[in-house]
Amino acid sequence: MAAPFFSTPFQPFVYQSPQDTITPFQILGGEAQIVQIMLKPQEKVIAKPGSMCYMSGSIQMENVYMPENEAGVWQWVLGKSVTSMVLQNTGSTDGFVGIAAPTLARIIPIDLALFGGEMLCQPDAYFCSINDVKVKTSDPRAQNVITSAEGFLRQKISGQGLAFIVGGGSVVQKNLEVGEVLAVDVSSIVSVSASVNIQIKYNGPLRRVLFGGDNMVTAVLTGPGIVFIQSMPFRRLSQRIARAVTSPNMRDNPKFLFQIAILFFIAYIVVSSLILTDM
């Protein structure tokens, strides 16, 4: 077999399913990782479309709609895929498939059988799985976004299989004891077990939350349970890249924003004067 699986210095992991099926896998790389999964004949991996990086010749790839993996209507409207990619070993010998993280992210393997069969995640955290894993991504609702964790952790993975999720930057795992409290920036949460109680806390008035930037919404987590925390959420990374690309004037002139504010203030004074004159 021409698989590079055991030719690297990384120690492979072994996943044992509830049916005692053994599936070895390996997480390769540093900041932008790849999970390499060994597949026996007829075994398969479910992944998000576009995540396959390489595979052996015996692997067949098919893009299918899976009813158990529910996707929100708004995801389809906004151009996101509502299908899944099935990678199955149709040969008579062992094969392998390499699935890449979609961004500069670390891959986290989660055996759902060890986490009570259910985890809450950020909307784009899940990217592939083995065996019995169901994925449900809900549409954002205004009342949920404002008042509950469902507005932020909109993806639920459940079942008894092995799921792979991604977290940006460095990923920290916190094990919360019964009654232990941990406050985390909402965007920094990758995933949390269903046993953890989550309360959303706004750090200031709602108008300040809407226009104040990062660290304005905090999740207060109360154990028992496990939470995975990321140091660089993709939303924060993309915003900083966008600012660097689209705002060269602001980058070269730190007073640019202040000057814009002064111009708007002068315009407001002029318009107000004209209105009062007409009256």
Side-chain angles (χ1 to χ4, degrees):
M1 180 179 63
F5 189 76
F6 295 112
S7 62
T8 64
F10 294 91
Q11 180 68 30
F13 299 94
V14 175
Y15 164 68
Q16 184 173 357
S17 70
Q19 295 77 26
D20 294 329
T21 303
I22 303 297
T23 304
F25 66 92
Q26 195 172 15
I27 296 177
L28 308 173
E31 298 302 327
Q33 294 185 326
I34 295 175
V35 58
Q36 187 171 272
I37 304 172
M38 300 296 291
L39 297 177
K40 295 183 177 65
Q42 304 309 312
E43 287 186 342
K44 63 183 178 181
V45 174
I46 309 298
K48 293 180 68 173
S51 60
M52 193 280 295
C53 185
Y54 59 86
M55 60 185 181
S56 59
S58 60
I59 305 297
Q60 294 295 320
M61 183 169 56
E62 184 179 7
N63 202 14
V64 300
Y65 173 73
M66 305 186 69
E68 62 269 25
N69 290 350
E70 300 181 26
V73 175
W74 281 109
Q75 289 192 355
W76 177 77
V77 172
L78 295 175
K80 292 188 177 182
S81 176
V82 295
T83 61
S84 298
M85 184 170 58
V86 179
L87 299 156
Q88 185 172 17
N89 183 7
T90 58
S92 57
T93 59
D94 291 354
F96 62 91
V97 58
I99 303 175
T103 61
L104 295 173
R106 292 185 178 272
I107 297 173
I108 310 167
I110 295 182
D111 187 348
L112 291 173
L114 303 178
F115 290 89
E118 185 176 309
M119 296 286 289
L120 299 177
C121 308
Q122 291 281 355
D124 293 323
Y126 166 87
F127 83 114
C128 73
S129 60
I130 303 172
N131 292 335
D132 175 32
V133 176
K134 299 179 179 63
V135 183
K136 180 179 180 180
T137 303
S138 60
D139 292 325
R141 293 177 172 84
Q143 64 269 27
N144 289 341
V145 170
I146 295 175
T147 61
S148 72
E150 295 178 3
F152 302 96
L153 303 175
R154 293 189 289 107
Q155 191 171 77
K156 180 173 72 174
I157 54 176
S158 58
Q160 298 297 310
L162 179 67
F164 294 91
I165 62 176
V166 293
S170 299
V171 176
V172 177
Q173 176 181 330
K174 291 291 186 181
N175 302 322
L176 302 181
E177 303 294 336
V178 177
E180 183 179 356
V181 178
L182 178 69
V184 185
D185 179 70
V186 165
S187 63
S188 296
I189 299 177
V190 182
S191 181
V192 61
S193 56
S195 60
V196 176
N197 179 266
I198 308 173
Q199 298 293 328
I200 300 300
K201 177 183 177 182
Y202 291 95
N203 303 319
L206 186 58
R207 64 179 183 276
R208 193 179 304 167
V209 171
L210 294 175
F211 301 103
D214 295 331
N215 294 130
M216 298 305 297
V217 184
T218 302
V220 180
L221 312 177
T222 305
I226 294 180
V227 56
F228 293 95
I229 303 170
Q230 58 185 346
S231 65
M232 182 56 69
F234 178 71
R235 181 181 65 86
R236 188 182 303 166
L237 175 63
S238 62
Q239 287 177 348
R240 292 182 179 179
I241 293 175
R243 280 200 294 263
V245 172
T246 60
S247 304
N249 292 331
M250 188 179 300
R251 188 172 63 251
D252 298 334
N253 182 10
K255 298 181 181 179
F256 181 75
L257 185 60
F258 178 75
Q259 293 168 350
I260 292 294
I262 293 297
L263 289 176
F264 274 107
F265 178 76
I266 294 174
Y268 172 77
I269 296 296
V270 171
V271 172
S272 300
S273 300
L274 293 175
I275 294 175
L276 292 175
T277 302
D278 292 339
M279 294 176 60

